[in-house]
């Protein structure tokens, strides 16, 4: 068996080689904090693998996990911690991320970590004690409310996905502080670093694609997807869209002609590239997802592979009463886990208005290509808390949440 020290060294080397770790301070934290002590029931090699490890289930669904080390590294680099910073973490999990942050802020800083599950707080305390980590205060509570007794914070980080930007988090940030959270935006989840400006608005410093277990408690958002069938076919729509499930089912049952897409696409493009760009360009955009038996049934087998599952992006005629869809499909279908070959990406019509929608989707696809295929990392975000006026310079798309509005845009090509 490999020693913990050797496994940790290999992990740090890989994170640096793949540019997930970019600064000496973050590299030193990963090299110093023993991850395996925060996963005492996990074999050493698995504890240091670049994979998430589920640590708690409810009704067969994971509700807490030790995050993937590469994603943790990306977010710590986004967070920009310095010695002396006061940090609030929402989602304590195993305590490992809090330990990394305690190393980064040093003895002059402080880390407060909140988790909604008291049993996880107890385990995190045990893990931190076993690893000899000081400077972390653990709190059992709903992280949607933050933790006012230790505010203000120089940094607030969520290690769980959020549908909204809560006013409590903004209120507990120090002037010029940074909020980092996995934020749901039109079906994608994005790790967004937001700096609090003097005008009370939050401006993005960095954006990365991510996938986290979602918040529970008072900040739990709407379901990310809605089932279309009993065999694993589901749909996601924009925040403000009204969905006619019967209309979507009827359209999918009437496949029509196809047009060549003229581009090569991979699974990441459904979330981080084309799918996100389309969803912000047109609120009638939806995503189709297939899991389980739906993966090998029609129309699931024509969707793009996403690991063992499948998915795609589509355009609806009018989500309140759709009588047609245009979807990105693969023809011929490929096996799960494989990437489509060149020329196998098509735009397929479904339902009576499908052919018209296919032409409209082709125009949008050409616009995305002409803009150099922008991805999430180039997205600019301004968060406008309710009751405040927007800043200038962001105008492409507006997404309305319960507690704020998001203004989103991509810079022009070449900028």
């Amino acid at each position: 068996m490999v020693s913990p020290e050797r496994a940790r060294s290999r992990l740090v080397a890989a994170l640096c080689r793949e540019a997930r770790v970019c600064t000496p301070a973050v590299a030193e934290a990963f090299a110093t904090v023993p991850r395996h002590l925060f996963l005492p029931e996990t074999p050493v090699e698995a504890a240091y693998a670049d994979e998430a490890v589920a640590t708690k289930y409810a009704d067969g669904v994971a509700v807490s996990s030790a995050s993937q080390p590469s994603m943790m590294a990306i977010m710590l680099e986004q967070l920009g911690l310095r010695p002396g910073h006061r940090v609030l973490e929402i989602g304590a999990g195993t305590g490992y991320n809090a330990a990394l942050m305690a190393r980064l802020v040093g003895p002059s800083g402080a880390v407060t970590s909140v988790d909604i599950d008291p049993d996880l707080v107890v385990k995190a305390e045990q893990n931190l004690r076993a690893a000899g980590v000081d400077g972390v205060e653990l709190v059992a509570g709903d992280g949607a409310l933050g933790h006012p007794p230790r505010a203000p914070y120089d940094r607030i980080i969520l290690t769980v996905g959020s549908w909204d930007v809560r006013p409590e988090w903004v209120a507990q940030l120090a002037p010029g502080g940074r909020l980092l959270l996995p934020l749901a935006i039109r079906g994608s989840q994005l790790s967004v670093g937001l700096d609090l400006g003097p005008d009370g608005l939050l401006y993005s410093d960095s954006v990365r694609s991510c996938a986290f277990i979602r918040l529970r408690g008072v900040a739990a958002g709407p379901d990310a997807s809605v089932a279309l069938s009993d065999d694993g076919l589901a749909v996601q729509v924009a925040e403000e869209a009204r969905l006619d499930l019967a209309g979507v089912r009827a359209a999918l049952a009437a496949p029509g002609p196809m047009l060549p897409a003229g581009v090569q696409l991979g699974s990441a493009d459904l979330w981080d590239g084309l799918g996100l760009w389309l969803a912000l360009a047109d609120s009638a955009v939806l995503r189709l997802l297939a899991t389980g038996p739906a993966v090998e049934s029609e129309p699931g087998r024509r969707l793009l592979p996403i690991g063992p599952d499948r998915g795609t992006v589509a355009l609806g005629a009018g989500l309140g009463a759709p009588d047609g869809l245009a979807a990105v499909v693969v023809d011929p279908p490929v096996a799960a886990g494989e990437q489509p070959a060149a020329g196998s990406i098509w735009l397929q019509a479904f339902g009576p208005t499908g052919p018209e929608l296919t032409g409209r989707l082709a125009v949008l696809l050409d616009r995305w290509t002409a803009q150099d295929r922008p991805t999430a990392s180039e997205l600019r975000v301004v968060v406008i808390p309710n009751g405040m006026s927007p800043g200038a310079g962001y105008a492409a798309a507006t997404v309305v949440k319960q507690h704020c509005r998001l203004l989103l845009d991509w810079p022009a090509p070449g900028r």
Side-chain angles (χ1 to χ4, degrees):
M1 292 181 61
V2 67
S3 70
E5 294 76 19
R6 176 60 178 162
R8 187 158 62 250
S9 177
R10 291 194 309 200
L11 173 63
V12 175
L15 294 176
C16 292
R17 183 172 59 250
E18 295 165 6
R20 308 303 188 188
V21 167
C22 302
T23 58
V26 173
E28 192 272 342
F30 274 98
T32 303
V33 178
R35 179 176 165 90
H36 67 287
L37 295 183
F38 294 85
L39 293 165
E41 299 176 2
T42 303
V44 167
E45 288 204 55
Y48 287 102
D50 190 23
E51 297 177 0
V53 179
T55 55
K56 182 174 181 176
Y57 291 85
D59 299 323
V61 178
V63 295
S64 185
S65 68
S67 300
Q68 184 180 14
S70 57
M71 191 67 237
M72 296 177 70
I74 289 169
M75 293 184 73
L76 288 174
E77 294 288 2
Q78 286 184 282
L79 198 58
L81 291 173
R82 297 193 299 272
H85 270 167
R86 296 169 59 83
V87 187
L88 173 64
E89 177 187 40
I90 296 167
T94 65
Y96 177 55
N97 194 60
L100 292 170
M101 294 193 297
R103 187 78 185 180
L104 288 165
V105 302
S108 61
V111 176
T112 301
S113 187
V114 180
D115 203 286
I116 197 169
D117 291 325
D119 59 320
L120 292 181
V121 169
V122 171
K123 290 182 180 179
E125 287 175 338
Q126 295 170 347
N127 296 339
L128 288 164
R129 194 179 307 117
V133 176
D134 297 319
V136 176
E137 178 187 7
L138 288 163
V139 178
D142 193 331
L145 307 178
H147 187 61
R150 299 297 294 272
Y153 301 98
D154 301 293
R155 299 288 189 267
I156 298 177
I157 177 174
L158 276 70
T159 57
V160 283
S162 179
W163 184 81
D164 204 352
V165 179
R166 297 281 303 187
E168 294 89 344
W169 305 332
V170 181
Q172 292 173 36
L173 271 180
R178 179 171 297 172
L179 169 65
L180 177 66
L181 75 167
L183 183 60
I185 300 179
R186 291 276 170 90
S188 291
Q189 194 183 86
L190 305 175
S191 177
V192 185
L194 296 163
D195 290 338
L196 181 61
D199 56 2
L201 308 187
L202 296 109
Y203 298 86
S204 63
D205 173 80
S206 61
V207 180
R208 300 289 184 270
S209 184
C210 66
F212 279 84
I213 293 170
R214 297 189 299 150
L215 275 168
R216 291 172 285 143
V218 299
D223 289 336
S225 59
V226 180
L228 281 172
S229 66
D230 294 332
D231 66 352
L233 189 64
V235 62
Q236 288 182 342
V237 296
E239 282 86 342
E240 62 271 27
R242 295 184 302 109
L243 181 63
D244 178 358
L245 290 177
V248 174
R249 293 189 189 103
L252 291 174
M258 296 192 296
L259 290 176
V263 297
Q264 189 67 15
L265 298 173
S267 59
D269 290 309
L270 299 182
W271 313 104
D272 187 37
L274 176 65
L276 177 61
W277 187 92
L278 286 174
L280 294 177
D282 195 320
S283 61
V285 165
L286 55 84
R287 289 186 179 91
L288 297 171
L289 308 171
T291 59
V295 168
E296 296 304 329
S297 63
E298 291 291 343
R301 62 192 300 267
R302 291 189 177 274
L303 309 188
L304 278 71
I306 310 172
D309 302 325
R310 295 181 186 270
T312 196
V313 62
L315 184 65
L319 295 178
D323 56 358
L325 294 171
V328 177
V329 300
V330 179
D331 187 57
V334 297
E338 293 183 5
Q339 290 298 311
S344 63
I345 304 296
W346 297 76
L347 308 181
Q348 182 165 19
F350 293 88
T353 61
E356 175 187 344
L357 289 167
T358 301
R360 186 168 137 201
L361 182 57
V363 170
L364 288 169
L365 185 58
D366 287 343
R367 283 176 52 196
W368 177 68
T369 303
Q371 293 182 22
D372 294 339
R373 299 170 61 120
T375 64
S377 63
E378 301 157 66
L379 186 65
R380 301 180 298 182
V381 183
V382 176
V383 177
I384 308 168
N386 287 353
M388 302 192 72
S389 299
Y394 294 79
T398 300
V399 172
V400 178
K401 301 287 189 175
Q402 180 182 359
H403 297 290
C404 68
R405 286 173 292 153
L406 310 179
L407 300 187
L408 307 114
D409 201 357
W410 274 273
R415 290 177 55 190

